Amino acid sequence: MSNSVTLDIRSYSARALRIFLVIFMLTVAQVLWAVLLSDNFSTSANGIVYFILLAGKVYYMLLEFMHLKHEKKFFNIALFSPTILMIIWFVVSFCYEGGAGLRSQKNLGYRRPDTFPKEMKLDEKAKLKKLENRESKD
Amino acid sequence: MSTLSHSQVQDVHEASPFKMSFFKAMMWYFVMGDLLVFAGFLISFGFQRFFETSWPNPHEVFSSIPFLETRAPLLFASFMTLLLMVSSLTMLLCSAYSKLKNKAKTSQYLILTMLFGLVFVLCQIWEWSHMFEEGAWWGRNPFLNQDGTISPTVFTDYFFIITGFHGIHVILGLLLNIIGFIKLHNGTFERTGSWGYIENVGIFWHFVDFVWVFVFTAVYLM
């Protein structure tokens, strides 16, 4: 019953320490990559490296530190399926939107209003380019 | 007001399809809701980042160390990460000992967790005040882009919003831990026979650490 909690605290602590060390090493790898190597790689290659290291940390934190490994499988599905679907949609749609913003900035010369004083918002060169684009479309 | 005995509570747990207490399940749902709020902040941060052709180099911006003149990229932020990770480990051991109903050890690890959390909050206060001294605040961004152009203020806006929101969570976690500490020492857990509070607070505390992993990667590293 209630007092029948059996937990070998010694091996549990040793295991916790091992998992902590794994997460620690992954963080060290992330920081070293960021400081020493990230300038030599493209942004997408960096993104992939960060994502892999992040996924490793997330895996150990959720399953081991937050004990999801020991919960009912159905609970995990009930908990995570809406969250993960929502976040995937969120990431995809916002990457798409952000990409559109970047394109509008590159092609039309649009700058964020707070970046420059008002009179410099749309410089002449960009205006001309915009007109050229419009003409070439016609 | 009547309270359930521990065996009654245990029966309720056994009847639940998830085989867990109501409070724990609700803590998990709260944490998931909170995760979506953080996801909103971080993804909109990513959106603004994608929008820009250039961005301040976070390795230069976050390179100051308290009380030292030297600058080392990300060293202080990494130290803060380490603090949260160690506090997560002590919280894990604390909830393990609470399952064994070992009052002394639970109390000991709870104090350690609170100590690391407190140092983290102090580090964050220092970082904020240092950023403020450098001229950064909501709507003010003194840092230049990597290509030398003026940087939009969204960089600092998002830094303060995301780390501030996370800091509020750490403070909330600290308060929950203090309540747990008081409950532990006035014998509430022994009286009701239910030590689940510590485990539930543990989930929240691990969540704070979990979110910091994303904040650290998005704001400091990339």
Side-chain angles (χ1 to χ4, degrees):
Chain A
M1 260 239 331
S2 58
N3 291 329
S4 66
V5 183
T6 49
L7 186 70
D8 180 4
I9 196 74
R10 193 176 279 257
S11 67
Y12 184 85
S13 312
R15 188 176 160 73
L17 197 63
R18 270 205 307 278
I19 291 157
F20 168 77
L21 285 176
V22 170
I23 296 174
F24 177 72
M25 293 313 288
L26 286 170
T27 310
V28 169
Q30 239 183 356
V31 173
L32 285 181
W33 178 275
V35 174
L36 301 175
L37 295 167
S38 67
D39 291 344
N40 301 325
F41 293 87
S42 70
T43 3
S44 49
N46 279 332
I48 291 166
V49 171
Y50 288 132
F51 180 78
I52 292 169
L53 294 171
L54 187 75
K57 281 160 77 170
V58 164
Y59 174 84
Y60 282 109
M61 277 187 174
L62 277 180
L63 291 189
E64 301 286 349
F65 273 20
M66 292 167 103
H67 283 185
L68 276 181
K69 215 174 183 176
H70 310 290
E71 304 299 352
K72 285 269 164 199
K73 197 179 168 188
F74 182 67
F75 177 71
N76 294 350
I77 293 170
L79 197 63
F80 280 97
S81 50
T83 316
I84 287 176
L85 283 176
M86 170 104 178
I87 286 177
I88 288 172
W89 165 78
F90 220 172
V91 170
V92 170
S93 79
F94 269 72
C95 281
Y96 191 72
E97 284 289 326
L102 186 62
R103 274 197 300 282
S104 78
Q105 211 184 148
K106 277 183 177 164
N107 300 338
L108 308 177
Y110 170 77
R111 292 311 302 254
R112 199 187 287 281
D114 59 8
T115 314
F116 291 107
K118 269 176 191 157
E119 59 273 20
M120 284 170 70
K121 214 192 276 179
L122 208 66
D123 60 292
E124 292 302 315
K125 212 174 169 184
K127 255 185 200 169
L128 280 175
K129 202 179 171 189
K130 191 177 164 186
L131 280 175
E132 274 168 22
N133 281 348
R134 206 175 279 169
E135 276 163 14
S136 64
K137 264 182 200 168
D138 295 337
Chain B
M1 204 177 89
S2 65
T3 49
L4 290 172
S5 75
H6 189 61
S7 61
Q8 280 171 314
V9 172
Q10 204 68 23
D11 291 343
V12 174
H13 296 184
E14 293 304 317
S16 131
F18 297 146
K19 296 277 182 290
M20 66 166 62
S21 74
F22 173 77
F23 298 107
K24 192 174 166 186
M26 288 306 112
M27 177 53 95
W28 265 113
Y29 277 106
F30 168 71
V31 157
M32 281 299 120
D34 225 6
L35 184 67
L36 285 176
V37 178
F38 270 106
F41 279 136
L42 287 170
I43 293 166
S44 67
F45 174 75
F47 164 71
Q48 302 287 1
R49 175 74 187 81
F50 270 121
F51 197 97
E52 290 300 319
T53 43
S54 191
W55 196 251
N57 187 356
H59 307 170
E60 285 167 17
V61 174
F62 306 109
S63 62
S64 310
I65 306 163
F67 316 117
L68 288 176
E69 289 297 308
T70 49
R71 292 171 87 90
L74 300 175
L75 191 69
F76 188 59
S78 308
F79 171 69
M80 284 163 74
T81 311
L82 182 67
L83 279 177
L84 267 194
M85 271 159 44
V86 175
S87 79
S88 212
L89 178 69
T90 53
M91 192 73 222
L92 188 69
L93 294 173
C94 174
S95 59
Y97 277 111
S98 81
K99 274 180 198 156
L100 295 172
K101 305 186 176 175
N102 185 333
K103 190 173 169 179
K105 284 277 185 185
T106 306
S107 164
Q108 193 181 325
Y109 280 112
L110 202 56
I111 289 171
L112 275 177
T113 308
M114 288 191 287
L115 196 69
F116 285 121
L118 188 67
V119 177
F120 179 86
V121 172
L122 293 176
C123 285
Q124 206 162 41
I125 289 170
W126 180 84
E127 194 175 34
W128 270 46
S129 61
H130 179 73
M131 292 278 281
F132 183 74
E133 276 168 19
E134 288 196 334
W137 200 238
W138 272 279
R140 284 210 310 267
N141 182 4
F143 310 109
L144 289 179
N145 282 331
Q146 283 174 50
D147 61 5
T149 52
I150 298 166
S151 176
T153 57
V154 284
F155 175 75
T156 42
D157 294 347
Y158 273 90
F159 170 79
F160 286 117
I161 284 179
I162 294 174
T163 58
F165 194 58
H166 180 267
I168 289 170
H169 279 75
V170 181
I171 292 168
L172 181 64
L174 276 175
L175 288 177
L176 290 175
N177 277 345
I178 290 168
I179 293 170
F181 190 75
I182 293 167
K183 280 188 167 192
L184 184 71
H185 282 277
N186 68 12
T188 310
F189 299 145
E190 279 143 340
R191 208 164 46 246
T192 57
S194 166
W195 289 60
Y197 181 90
I198 298 283
E199 197 190 354
N200 296 344
V201 170
I203 290 172
F204 184 76
W205 193 264
H206 292 311
F207 167 73
V208 168
D209 183 27
F210 176 76
V211 163
W212 181 254
V213 167
F214 289 93
V215 173
F216 183 63
T217 308
V219 177
Y220 291 88
L221 295 181
M222 292 183 94

